[in-house]
Amino acid sequence: MASPLPMQCVASLRKSGIHLRAAALGINTRHYSSKKGSSTEYLNQSVVPSMHYQKSLPRLPIPKLEDTVGRYLAAQRPLLDDDQFRTTEKIAQDFQNGVGKQLHEELVAQDKNNKHTSYISGPWFDMYLSARDSVVLNFNPFMSFNPDPKTEYNEQLVRATNVVCSAVRFMKTLRAGLLEPEVFHLNPAKSDTDGFKRFIRWVPSSLSWYGAYMVNAYPLDMSQYFRLFNSTRIPKRGRDELFTDEKARHLLVMRKGNMYVFDIVDRDGNLVKPAEIQSHLKYILCDPTPPAAFPLGVLTSENRDVWAGLRDKLVAAGNAEDLRIVDGALFCLSLDDESMKDHIHISHNMLHGDGCNRWFDKSFTVILTKDGQAAINFEHSWGDGVAVLRVQNEIFKDTTERPLVNPGSAAAAVDSASAVRRLQFNLDSELENGIKTAKENFDSTVSTLTIDAMEFKKGGKAQLKKSKISPDAVVQLAFQMAFLRQYGQTVATYESCSTAAFRHGRTETIRPATIHTKRCSHAFVLQPGQHSVEQLQAMLRECSKYHGQLTKEAAMGQGFDRHLFALRYLANSRNEALHSLYSDPAYAAINHNVLSTSTLTSPAVNLGGFAPVVPDGFGVGYGVHDDWIGCNVSSYPARNVHEFLQCVHKSLEDIFTVLEGKTLG
């Protein structure tokens, strides 16, 4: 059963998607009420059990094949000339009437036999885990925390201790079923109330979603949350595996490429005293051990098959137990000895760093620099941004509102030297050479990445909403105009969208390059004097309306990308020859996403970032705030990111000028 979601809900859901190699996008932080929660053990004690809605979530719909083909052709239209489009149209219609029809029927039948999950979940896991490229730059994104408003709490040891304690509290709250379920409230006055929560908790799980739906509340899928803690991606030849050890009680800490572990949960399952955690972290920060000569962490940045082979050699050399300790750790805390110079420095450090002081395969890593800048870098195969952003929001709220240690706190007088263990691995010359080569490959790759940022201060969400224009549509249009101004063409563009409103939903793609944005971009950039202000305003409204429709369709599981992907996956799994739709140059081109975009706004998050998904692309993270718009963009040498951002700024200036009723200069 899939009920339509109202547009306001869709807009919020779109933000929570994370796409392949893209930055986390967030559902705006809400207030999660605290009920009778122990001050040190739990963040809150939700009246409604954490997974109460999970059984009754609606299933992700498989679109009708004719709708998918129609949407695919509409997205291809602005990218192709007339002859190319006619060819692609003919191929797509042949697919729809023949092989595609059979595959679609098989997919629907398969879906009916697997009602516990979604049609995209298995193939999507497979796609990630079978990818052989390094997870660094290609998959792992980062989100940096805002500084603590109380500046003295940003001191590295204090902030690290508080973040670790809050993360454990989150984990305990989640595992006890006391974490507030992730729900989007369209009418909080009705649904986000103690009365409604007391009522809905007694509604059976199999019906609870419908109860929430009746009061305009939309529970989201939380199936990915169990992989947040104690989880790691293990490299295997051909296809990696996900490993989780919920019994493990220790934290993995990295500093100067050295790896340390100590328990942060005691034998009774309680949080270790914050003063003891502080003492152990202080011990690590004061450890005089020199930087690791052969930092094992850099191997997690290697090609997955290469890393799998080296891991087998590590096991053979007697390191199996220590590797299992790394894999089972609650999460990784990377303590960096460097201070950050600016936003660009933060982006580079949090996205990739020097490769030595990270274990990129952990489900997530909290990075804390010498000057207290903090961020989360996360591995992407196990889940999307909804779960990671929830952790980040909760950690930020908890550490800033209820910190368990403060700048005056004394570390406990405990024997940290016996509580903290530095892992020491047996390495032979082959492994040492593998680490050396991995570091050389890492350095050579990240040296090609450029990141730049821009802030547009002449308007934002408030003004656009007054003009009844979608803020997201405007920024996406600005990217189209900018690329046209810089390179003279319209290219494949990807915007991520969450389908977390459905059971085991992942993401869908919004395709922001449309015939409307192409027409509008040409009018603004190439023919500024040929249209009246009213005509330009009408074009902006048309772009906004169509973008809103695409957004709604994607959030409802009605895009075309995942459906076509699943049909191809099905054909491949049966060793059937692929239809010419998949070998059409136009199909390759629309999946070569030169503009890969993701949006993020949250009170906890300062900025998010990711690398381009293709060598000649841009990785575009952006946020639309009440009175300003920010972009954090990456590129490789094939593109000029500085010039692109100048063109984005100029495009936004032009759009706001026209919306104010002025002619373009």
Side-chain angles (χ1 to χ4, degrees), residues 144-166 278 281 333 335 350 366-369 371-375 392 395-396 399-400 403 405-407 604:
S144 71
F145 284 89
N146 274 316
D148 192 304
K150 302 184 290 297
T151 51
E152 65 274 20
Y153 279 81
N154 292 310
E155 192 271 323
Q156 189 178 24
L157 177 60
V158 172
R159 195 168 202 196
T161 307
N162 280 322
V163 166
V164 168
C165 293
S166 293
Q278 184 178 6
L281 291 175
L333 172 69
L335 298 172
M350 305 313 189
V366 175
I367 302 163
L368 252 158
T369 62
D371 55 343
Q373 291 288 344
Q392 187 150 1
I395 287 175
F396 185 76
T399 55
T400 53
V405 301
N406 59 60

Side-chain angles (χ1 to χ4, degrees), residues 24 28 39 68-69 110 147 160 275 436 582 665:
N28 292 331
S39 62
T68 287
V69 169
Q110 202 178 69
K436 205 169 146 217
Y582 295 108

